[in-house]
């Protein structure tokens, strides 16, 4: 009986939703995408877009929304709302827009801060369609070589190199060649990848439908009956890997995208999703990572909004009824109040709830309950190196190199993160080496004769905590020598694989968790935001971790909503815009995707007929 009642309700709800959607104007259209224009190489013109400083006079009138933070999640939400006719103001505390997508230039070298590469940008892919919409087609990508990643395991001097290839069939076939005794395990993992990729939208839907309905579907078992994705999201990666094979090297392949959580504490679904993300190719933005915020900002401006930097938000304003109605921006000694009916925070759940909300709101049980669902993520440490030499002279490659000192990731990570502050620098167990200048064909045009390298690893915030109250670039000799111990260890490791680097090095800087906190406002230096532990991805936790918050009119966007990385943050922005607009914008993206596929099929058919004539 209860099932019959539920089905009747679903039919009524679906009918009402359909009627509601049909009356909503679409923020996305095929017609809004135009051919990409030439790259803007004039830095002064770029700075007018990316470095527009905050003043009272630049605040647009009659705002519909304020976005705190200009990372890709906040910018995506802002651009989507702008295209829906909303006037949006994005406020960025740094002196350049973009968050982890911004770049900085030192001594003539340009460095990415957080973007390494994109996946799922093949023609008419959903992510490609979304990026085309929020940049109106002005963002171009370069497809990287099929061998986009190398995994190197150097266990007690016994080095093993594994190539990871993109390709619908090539990725799986290549791993079978590497592991001929584990063909069945590879096939089973790729089945998991397939289920994850095809059904991941079910977890997104949980965040868009009413929470009571989402929880009912999960607790009643109906959701599990519909798809295995709801059980898979809460499956322990190590347990799944052990069930598939005893080969530890293959375990590393299944979980090599490290984000600070060991496989035994992470979701198999997320690891599978990350690998699948590059199955159809790896891509890099033509012109560098800053092209992303550069082109999104122009879309926001086109619709009457603005992106202002040097605008640190010090407080979210909440009225006596508990509803957010604006923010205060610290401008010198003055606190400027800006009001809007919607406030979107893209600076992470911990910064939002623990620093920006008034103290009396922070302590409310419903706020604490949301905070209890998350825990702070591991911090990142990056080394930026510049070389006076070309890619050919250095023998560097567009392929990213993932280095591991052991094939037991759980033991390796547990041991490292339990080390003392003094032990850690010389015992780094894993690192990512990437050469942005080798990925971008315009790099030599913009920075002739120069190359750059970024090395990333994960660290404990506590190792750097003693310098938290010092000022950037004035943290003292002890701090400098300590961070350079990490940097030297990582650079030496890179030189073992690319020996020509050392003689051509002319610039090097290291970014610690404190650096990330200063420039990116990352909580405890975690550029991947809140911890991606297993509990976060239980289906019920996914349903409760939503864009809307216990504070009326306040919404969350970015990596804390769905998952880490640029693509994860972008989807966080789309989910946020859907919540604010009360309209699932994914429907429009899917319709555009279908329309583009039909158009391509029609063109192919027309071309085939012409050849026959």
């Amino acid at each position: 009986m209860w099932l019959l009642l539920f089905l009747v309700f679903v039919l009524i709800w679906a009918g009402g939703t359909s009627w509601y959607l049909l009356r909503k104007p679409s923020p996305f259209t095929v017609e809004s995408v135009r051919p990409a224009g030439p790259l803007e190489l004039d830095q002064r013109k770029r700075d007018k877009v990316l470095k527009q400083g905050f003043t009272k006079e630049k605040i647009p009138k009659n705002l519909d929304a304020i976005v705190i933070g200009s990372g890709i999640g906040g910018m995506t939400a802002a651009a989507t709302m702008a295209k829906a006719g909303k006037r949006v103001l994005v406020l960025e505390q740094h002196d350049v827009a973009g968050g982890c997508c911004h770049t900085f230039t030192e001594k003539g070298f340009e460095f990415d801060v957080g973007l390494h590469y994109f996946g799922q940008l093949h023609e008419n892919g959903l992510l490609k369609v979304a990026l085309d919409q929020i940049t109106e087609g002005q963002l171009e990508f370069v497809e990287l070589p099929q061998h986009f990643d190398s995994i190197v395991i150097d266990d007690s001097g016994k080095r093993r190199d594994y190539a990871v290839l993109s390709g619908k069939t090539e990725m799986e076939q290549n791993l079978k060649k590497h592991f001929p005794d584990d063909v069945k395990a590879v096939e089973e993992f790729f089945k998991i990848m397939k289920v994850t990729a095809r059904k991941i939208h079910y977890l997104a839907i949980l965040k868009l439908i009413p929470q009571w309905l989402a929880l009912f579907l999960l607790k009643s078992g109906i959701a599990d009956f519909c798809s295995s994705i709801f059980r898979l999201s809460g499956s322990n990666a190590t347990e799944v890997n052990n069930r598939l094979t005893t080969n530890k090297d293959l375990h590393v392949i299944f979980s090599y995208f490290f984000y600070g959580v060991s496989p035994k504490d992470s979701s198999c679904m997320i690891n599978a999703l990350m690998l699948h993300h590059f199955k159809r190719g790896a891509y890099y933005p033509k012109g560098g990572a800053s092209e992303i915020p550069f082109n999104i900002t122009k879309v926001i401006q086109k619709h009457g909004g603005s992106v202002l930097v040097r605008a640190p938000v010090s407080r979210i304003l909440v009225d006596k009824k508990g509803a957010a109605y604006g923010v205060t921006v610290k401008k010198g000694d003055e606190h400027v109040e800006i009001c809007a009916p919607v406030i979107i925070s893209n600076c992470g759940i911990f910064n939002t709830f623990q620093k920006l909300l008034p103290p009396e709101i922070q302590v409310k049980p419903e706020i604490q309950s949301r905070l209890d669902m998350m825990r702070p993520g591991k911090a990142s440490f990056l080394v930026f190196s510049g070389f006076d030499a070309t890619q050919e002279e250095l023998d560097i490659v567009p392929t990213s190199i993932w280095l591991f000192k052991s094939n037991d990731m759980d033991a390796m990570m547990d041991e490292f993160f339990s080390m003392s502050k003094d032990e850690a620098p010389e015992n780094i167990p894993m690192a990512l080496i990437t050469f942005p200048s080798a990925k971008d064909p315009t790099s030599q045009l913009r920075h002739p004769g120069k190359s750059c390298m970024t090395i990333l690893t994960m660290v404990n915030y506590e190792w750097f905590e003693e310098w938290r109250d010092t000022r950037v670039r004035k943290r003292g000799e002890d701090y400098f020598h300590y961070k350079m111990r990490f940097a030297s260890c990582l650079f030496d490791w890179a030189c073992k694989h690319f020996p020509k680097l050392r003689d051509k090095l002319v610039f090097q800087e290291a970014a610690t968790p404190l650096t990330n906190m200063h420039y990116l406002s990352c909580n405890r230096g975690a550029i991947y935001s809140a911890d991606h532990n297993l509990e976060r991805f239980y289906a019920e936790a996914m349903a409760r971790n939503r864009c809307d918050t216990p504070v009326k009119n306040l919404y969350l966007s970015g990596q804390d909503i769905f998952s880490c990385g640029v693509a994860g943050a972008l989807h966080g922005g789309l989910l946020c815009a859907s919540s604010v607009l009360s309209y699932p914008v994914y429907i429009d993206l899917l319709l555009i995707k279908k329309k583009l596929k039909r158009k391509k099929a029609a063109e192919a058919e027309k071309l085939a007929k012409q050849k026959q004539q």
Side-chain angles (χ1 to χ4, degrees), residues 83-102:
K83 290 174 70 68
K86 306 297 182 183
R87 186 167 295 181
V88 185
L89 171 64
V90 180
L91 299 170
E92 170 57 49
Q93 59 91 30
H94 192 18
D95 63 5
V96 59
C100 284
C101 286
H102 89 266

Side-chain angles (χ1 to χ4, degrees), residues 116-305:
H116 309 305
Y117 41 25
F118 261 106
Q120 294 294 306
L121 292 181
H122 53 283
E123 186 178 9
N124 298 332
L126 184 64
L127 193 61
K128 176 71 164 61
V129 172
L131 279 166
D132 280 346
Q133 287 297 317
I134 62 176
T135 64
E136 298 192 341
Q138 299 309 293
L139 188 60
E140 293 186 279
F141 285 88
V142 179
E143 186 170 5
L144 301 181
Q146 187 176 37
H147 176 191
F148 68 95
D149 271 350
S150 282
I151 298 171
V152 181
I153 304 171
D154 194 354
D155 195 346
S156 301
K158 299 176 182 177
R159 173 175 164 173
R160 285 91 70 199
D161 292 57
Y162 300 105
V164 183
L165 307 184
S166 59
K168 292 178 70 174
T169 60
E170 292 89 339
M171 179 180 279
E172 181 177 352
Q173 293 304 318
N174 178 62
L175 286 183
K176 288 179 179 179
K177 290 179 182 178
H178 278 306
F179 300 96
D181 296 331
D182 288 285
V183 168
K184 182 67 174 177
V186 172
E187 290 176 348
E188 289 300 315
F189 191 78
F190 272 73
K191 287 179 182 178
I192 293 173
M193 286 171 54
K194 187 175 182 179
V195 170
T196 298
R198 289 188 173 183
K199 305 299 181 182
I200 193 69
H201 63 279
Y202 285 177
L203 291 171
I205 290 172
L206 292 179
K207 298 176 181 292
L208 295 176
I209 63 177
Q211 183 172 308
W212 66 265
L213 178 57
L215 295 177
F216 172 78
L217 292 172
L218 293 170
K219 292 184 176 182
S220 66
I222 295 174
D224 284 339
F225 179 77
C226 294
S227 174
S228 61
I229 190 68
F230 301 104
R231 293 186 299 275
L232 192 60
S233 66
S235 298
N236 180 297
T238 291
E239 290 180 1
V240 172
N241 293 344
N242 286 337
R243 193 162 61 242
L244 295 178
T245 177
T246 58
N247 190 318
K248 288 287 189 179
D249 281 14
L250 190 51
H251 288 180
V252 173
I253 307 294
F254 293 161
S255 306
Y256 77 91
F257 292 101
F258 55 75
Y259 41 85
V261 183
S262 61
K264 65 182 175 61
D265 295 320
S266 64
S267 167
C268 168
M269 177 196 74
I270 290 299
N271 293 341
L273 189 64
M274 286 182 172
L275 186 55
H276 186 276
H277 183 67
F278 298 102
K279 193 173 180 182
R280 298 290 296 274
Y283 299 80
Y284 188 80
K286 185 179 179 181
S290 64
E291 281 295 295
I292 299 172
F294 179 73
N295 286 294
I296 297 178
T297 295
K298 291 196 285 187
V299 171
I300 295 168
Q301 292 172 338
K302 177 180 176 181
H303 294 274

Side-chain angles (χ1 to χ4, degrees), residues 316 318 322-324 348-374 544-556:
I316 294 172
V318 180
I349 189 170
F350 293 107
N351 284 334
T352 305
F353 287 175
Q354 294 179 335
K355 296 179 181 179
L356 298 183
L357 287 177
E360 64 273 17
I361 303 296
Q362 293 181 25
V363 298
K364 287 192 172 184
E366 53 269 35
I367 294 292
Q368 293 301 312
S369 177
R370 282 292 298 269
L371 282 170
D372 288 343
M373 293 174 58
M374 300 284 205
R544 294 182 186 276
N545 181 28
R546 309 165 73 82
C547 297
D548 54 309
T549 73
V551 178
K552 186 179 179 182
N553 304 332
L554 174 62
Y555 296 82
L556 298 176

Side-chain angles (χ1 to χ4, degrees), residues 387 389-399 401 435 438 451 494 497-501 504:
F387 309 92
T390 64
Q391 173 183 343
E392 292 76 17
E393 291 169 336
L394 293 172
D395 287 338
I396 58 177
V397 293
T399 303
I401 317 297
F435 299 96
S451 297
H497 297 272
F498 302 95
K500 294 183 179 180
L501 296 177
K504 296 295 184 179

